[in-house]
Amino acid sequence: MPSAKYYNYLQIFQAKRLERDYKHLLAEPQYHGLAQFFLEDMYGPYDFHARDTQARRLHQFIHLAPGLSIEDIEVTLDLLNLTVRLDQQVADWLEHNGVALPFSEAQYEDAYYRVNSFEPRVRQIELINESLRRVHRLSRISLLGTALNNTKTFAKLMGMGELHRFLRRGYQALLPVHDLKPFLTQVTHTELDRLKRIYRLV
């Protein structure tokens, strides 16, 4: 396991990389909120342990959110947990191979390659697609939006405030999005092309 210093720096570094690579999506009115959610909530520098813990209590809340299923939550949690595990591997390699902070992008990509996680990274991209498709479907259910707004206090009392906030932010981010496919296509192509370049497959 990497130290908190290396892991936190890696998350901040990656957030800046994503903001740079997806600045065009941030500039598009339809995708601005979704791009922010993608960068800050799905991929940003946060500890997702609280959401994982809170998901275990989901059966107490699910019946209050029309259209929301356990499967919807599990896909997103799979993505968040996989992301944390992969980030920890890279941060751990950097730290234990004596790469000083702040590391460069070349050093980061070398660590990314040396942890040998090509297939899990492909799975991560697949989960991004599936998770966002599910949240987009949920954003078409107006009653769910009302329910999420009306259950903030309940969720906090049940110790599910962080997970509830994540769901609410995702719902609100996808409300203005009429066509999700161009966003997913851009993210998939960008991340796969980058992954293949780092793993020297192109």
Side-chain angles (χ1 to χ4, degrees), residues 58 62 68-77 130 134:
L58 204 58
I62 204 82
L68 184 65
S69 71
I70 292 290
E71 290 76 17
D72 294 326
I73 302 301
E74 286 178 343
V75 168
T76 299
L77 286 172
E130 186 176 356
R134 284 177 176 271

Side-chain angles (χ1 to χ4, degrees), residues 25-59:
L25 291 177
L26 283 164
E28 291 189 31
Q30 181 184 184
Y31 297 132
H32 176 75
L34 174 55
Q36 279 193 316
F37 176 70
F38 175 66
L39 269 61
E40 297 172 8
D41 292 82
M42 296 186 75
Y43 248 119
Y46 297 103
D47 180 1
F48 297 110
H49 176 69
R51 290 176 199 166
D52 189 18
T53 302
Q54 292 167 21
R56 303 177 196 282
R57 309 187 191 110
L58 204 58
H59 64 281

Side-chain angles (χ1 to χ4, degrees), residues 34-201:
L34 174 55
Q36 279 193 316
F37 176 70
F38 175 66
L39 269 61
E40 297 172 8
D41 292 82
M42 296 186 75
Y43 248 119
Y46 297 103
D47 180 1
F48 297 110
H49 176 69
R51 290 176 199 166
D52 189 18
T53 302
Q54 292 167 21
R56 303 177 196 282
R57 309 187 191 110
L58 204 58
H59 64 281
Q60 302 172 48
F61 172 76
I62 204 82
H63 67 283
L64 298 176
L68 184 65
S69 71
I70 292 290
E71 290 76 17
D72 294 326
I73 302 301
E74 286 178 343
V75 168
T76 299
L77 286 172
D78 284 348
L79 169 61
L80 298 177
N81 291 332
L82 178 59
T83 298
V84 168
R85 180 166 62 84
L86 292 172
D87 287 351
Q88 286 175 338
Q89 288 176 355
V90 174
D92 187 65
W93 192 94
L94 287 163
E95 183 171 14
H96 287 90
N97 283 275
V99 180
L101 299 179
F103 49 76
S104 66
E105 186 151 8
Q107 290 171 317
Y108 163 73
E109 290 189 352
D110 184 52
Y112 206 94
Y113 170 76
R114 291 183 183 279
V115 297
N116 193 27
S117 57
F118 181 83
E119 290 184 6
R121 288 290 180 182
V122 172
R123 178 58 181 155
Q124 183 184 38
I125 295 166
E126 292 171 348
L127 285 170
I128 289 169
N129 277 265
E130 186 176 356
S131 180
L132 288 178
R133 284 195 192 98
R134 284 177 176 271
V135 179
H136 187 252
R137 174 184 60 79
L138 293 170
S139 73
R140 307 300 99 179
I141 304 172
S142 58
L143 285 175
L144 177 58
T146 302
L148 287 172
N149 285 328
N150 291 341
T151 53
K152 285 186 285 188
T153 301
F154 172 79
K156 189 174 180 180
L157 289 172
M158 296 302 295
M160 297 171 57
E162 181 67 15
L163 179 62
H164 188 277
R165 177 186 174 277
F166 179 79
L167 293 172
R168 198 169 67 251
R169 288 255 306 164
Y171 181 92
Q172 292 168 348
L174 278 147
L175 269 178
V177 178
H178 302 295
D179 186 3
L180 183 61
K181 187 175 180 180
F183 183 94
L184 293 180
T185 299
Q186 180 65 63
V187 169
T188 300
H189 286 170
T190 299
E191 294 304 307
L192 278 178
D193 287 350
R194 177 178 168 276
L195 188 60
K196 289 175 182 177
R197 175 179 58 76
I198 290 172
Y199 278 86
R200 304 160 193 177
L201 299 175

